[in-house]
Amino acid sequence: MNKLSLNTINEINLLMHEDLNFHGMNKVCNLHKIHSFPAKFPPQLPAKFINRLTLAGEIVLDPMVGSGTTIIEAAIINRKAIGFDIDPLAILLVKAKFGMVKIEELIHCGYSLIERAQNNAESKNISKELLENFDKKTRDFINYWFLDKTKIELFAIVKEINKISNPELKDIFKVVFSSTIIAKTGGVSLALDLAHSRPHRAKTIAKTEIPEISLINIFDNSDIRDILYDKKIKSAFTEFKTKLNQISKLINSSPIASKAIVGLANTNSIPLSDNSVDLIVTSPPYPSNAIDYMRVHKFSLVWFNYMIDELSTLRKEFYGGENLKDVKLYTFSDRIEAILNNISLADKNKSLVIRRYYSEMLDMLKEMFRVLKPGKATIIVVGSSVIKGIDTEIQLCLKEIGQSIGFLVSDIGIRQIERNRRMLPASHMINKFSMIQNRMHYEYILGFVKP
């Protein structure tokens, strides 16, 4: 072990034994508050490691950038920030957070946009345009989750957004638009809570029996209108203005004055050269789709011309997914194989899904090893996971996988999740037999150092 690697390991070990919970620490960059995003980790976590393990001007990478927490914290303290993801909404959100726009221009253009959209919503042709904009499966989706009036309003807004020529303004308006839909309370959709893996649709509270929402179809010229639900659906125009004002204030108070490199890319093929990165801080998804990002994000993405089949195909590529077709599955150490075998006795398919997850982690760590400079570190935050009552020992398994690649591995840190700040489903009570709950109460922090 060379001196640089030894120093890095020692520093990480010190960090792992400090307070990693950050409970009650509410002062964070306002950019982190733009748009709901499932299972974000607290900004103080990447900030702690970036501060202690890098110097000004060095490169910090998050190859699963999500909402951009790591690279925002890196940019605040003058690090070169790079982020990649395969989720189109994640990339859109992060680009918008780094957009350099004048707040006065944002507000003026946004209000003008809404005025035009309101006028266009009265057009006789807009229902026909809405029909022609989506294929059948996508139409069925929006019919199920949005009221007729809301669909017209959202379509009118997105039409105006698409006319914006300034790409940075357009990205921010798309995020404003998305934030009217994706919220913990389900925004302007009929979803009661988009924090759930399977969103719950609002039910009618009408006194007489009425058809299911899925049968109320604007494209079928249904006469059914003004049905009461157990959720109040606000005007999309009003919500857009509200979110525009909120987001404008958050952007205006941001300390970031630099760009970041952000783009679509898979962690199996990071578009960076060998030995080029000074620090990686990332948080992979939970295994077995415990947090199903696409199930939430498609509520917005369909309005940006992503069809349901296209999003379903993309979802299969997300880490932690349950698709087993055409995926590489590896054999592991005795410890990991024993865990997989125990899960297999309870549920063979779940065992294969977890094997896929560890196989993906192996490929990811290999790619991180390649792009890291010698003596530099990767910090990975992973959630605890119990499958069919069996602890996957995810922290110990990833430690062994990292060591098999050639990483030096630090002590393992642990933190308790402050659940009400993570847009997570399930209750605060731990139920040993509830798979989704057992994955979401603790997180482990692992440090991997390249010799």
Side-chain angles (χ1 to χ4, degrees), residues 267-270 362-371:
T267 53
N268 290 343
S269 183
I270 300 173
L362 174 59
D363 286 337
M364 178 189 73
L365 284 166
K366 283 181 178 178
E367 191 66 354
M368 290 177 176
F369 190 95
R370 179 186 69 79
V371 301

Side-chain angles (χ1 to χ4, degrees), residues 117 119-132 151-157 159 218-219:
N119 291 333
N120 290 337
E122 303 299 324
S123 167
K124 294 180 181 179
N125 296 325
I126 195 162
S127 294
K128 181 181 178 182
E129 291 181 61
L130 181 57
L131 168 63
E132 294 172 347
K151 288 181 281 192
I152 292 295
E153 292 175 344
L154 290 173
F155 186 62
I157 294 171
K159 277 186 65 181
I218 188 173
F219 306 111

Side-chain angles (χ1 to χ4, degrees), residues 109-121 160 237 241:
C109 290
Y111 274 65
S112 297
L113 184 155
I114 284 297
E115 185 177 349
R116 295 192 303 273
Q118 286 176 313
N119 291 333
N120 290 337
E160 293 303 316
F237 298 135
K241 282 186 178 181

Side-chain angles (χ1 to χ4, degrees), residues 8-18 20 49 378-380 395-396 399 403 408-414 443-449:
T8 303
I9 280 287
N10 288 339
E11 186 65 22
I12 294 173
N13 284 340
L14 290 174
L15 286 163
M16 293 302 185
H17 293 280
E18 294 180 5
L20 299 173
F49 288 94
T378 286
I379 306 298
I380 293 182
Q395 74 282 14
L396 300 178
K399 178 178 180 178
Q403 289 171 330
L408 306 173
V409 185
S410 71
D411 294 344
I412 298 173
I414 186 169
E443 287 179 326
Y444 300 101
I445 301 96
L446 293 93
F448 300 91
V449 176

Side-chain angles (χ1 to χ4, degrees), residues 28-267:
V28 298
C29 173
N30 280 329
L31 288 179
H32 295 303
K33 302 173 185 177
I34 296 175
H35 201 290
S36 296
F37 201 94
K40 293 190 292 186
F41 55 19
Q44 297 90 345
L45 183 56
K48 178 185 280 284
F49 288 94
I50 294 167
N51 267 296
R52 298 271 284 272
L53 298 176
T54 63
L55 301 172
E58 291 190 329
I59 295 174
V60 176
L61 166 69
D62 186 345
M64 288 180 280
V65 73
S67 65
T69 304
T70 291
I71 65 172
I72 288 170
E73 291 301 312
I76 288 172
I77 56 172
N78 195 29
R79 274 47 167 180
K80 293 179 181 177
I82 303 176
F84 300 110
D85 211 297
I86 64 169
D87 184 340
L89 188 60
I91 295 302
L92 172 64
L93 176 56
V94 177
K95 283 185 175 180
K97 289 180 176 181
F98 280 90
M100 301 296 175
V101 297
K102 294 180 179 179
I103 300 306
E104 297 80 7
E105 181 183 9
L106 180 63
I107 293 290
H108 174 74
C109 290
Y111 274 65
S112 297
L113 184 155
I114 284 297
E115 185 177 349
R116 295 192 303 273
Q118 286 176 313
N119 291 333
N120 290 337
E122 303 299 324
S123 167
K124 294 180 181 179
N125 296 325
I126 195 162
S127 294
K128 181 181 178 182
E129 291 181 61
L130 181 57
L131 168 63
E132 294 172 347
N133 198 65
F134 304 101
D135 61 26
K136 183 182 184 305
K137 189 173 288 188
T138 309
R139 286 200 303 271
D140 290 344
F141 175 82
I142 66 170
N143 289 338
Y144 186 87
W145 288 109
F146 297 92
L147 291 177
D148 290 358
K149 181 182 177 183
T150 307
K151 288 181 281 192
I152 292 295
E153 292 175 344
L154 290 173
F155 186 62
I157 294 171
V158 84
K159 277 186 65 181
E160 293 303 316
I161 291 175
N162 288 334
K163 295 176 184 177
I164 302 292
S165 58
N166 182 324
E168 292 188 333
L169 267 180
K170 181 182 285 189
D171 285 346
I172 293 175
F173 285 138
K174 283 185 175 181
V175 168
V176 173
F177 176 92
S178 180
S179 68
T180 70
I181 299 171
I182 296 179
K184 194 164 186 179
T185 55
V188 299
S189 76
L190 288 171
L192 287 173
D193 189 346
L194 284 176
H196 284 80
S197 286
R198 293 182 181 274
H200 298 92
R201 190 181 62 176
K203 297 177 181 179
T204 177
I205 56 172
K207 293 182 180 179
T208 57
E209 185 176 350
I210 60 170
E212 285 289 319
I213 302 302
S214 58
L215 301 179
I216 302 169
N217 188 334
I218 188 173
F219 306 111
D220 293 339
N221 298 315
S222 173
D223 292 326
I224 302 172
R225 296 291 184 270
D226 301 324
I227 297 171
L228 297 176
Y229 301 95
D230 54 356
K231 174 185 176 181
K232 182 179 179 180
I233 307 296
K234 298 179 181 179
S235 161
F237 298 135
T238 301
E239 280 296 280
F240 187 93
K241 282 186 178 181
T242 300
K243 295 295 184 181
L244 175 63
N245 290 328
Q246 292 173 351
I247 289 174
S248 296
K249 290 177 182 178
L250 296 174
I251 292 174
N252 196 38
S253 61
S254 164
I256 291 180
S258 62
K259 290 281 190 180
I261 297 173
V262 183
L264 289 165
N266 196 303
T267 53

Side-chain angles (χ1 to χ4, degrees), residues 329-371:
L329 299 177
Y330 299 126
T331 300
F332 297 99
S333 67
D334 290 344
R335 173 197 291 275
I336 299 174
E337 289 298 329
I339 293 169
L340 293 172
N341 183 61
N342 286 338
I343 296 173
S344 183
L345 294 174
D347 188 324
K348 185 176 181 180
N349 190 68
K350 283 292 183 185
S351 176
L352 291 172
V353 168
I354 302 304
R355 184 179 295 278
R356 169 189 163 170
Y357 182 77
Y358 285 137
S359 298
E360 289 170 331
M361 293 300 105
L362 174 59
D363 286 337
M364 178 189 73
L365 284 166
K366 283 181 178 178
E367 191 66 354
M368 290 177 176
F369 190 95
R370 179 186 69 79
V371 301

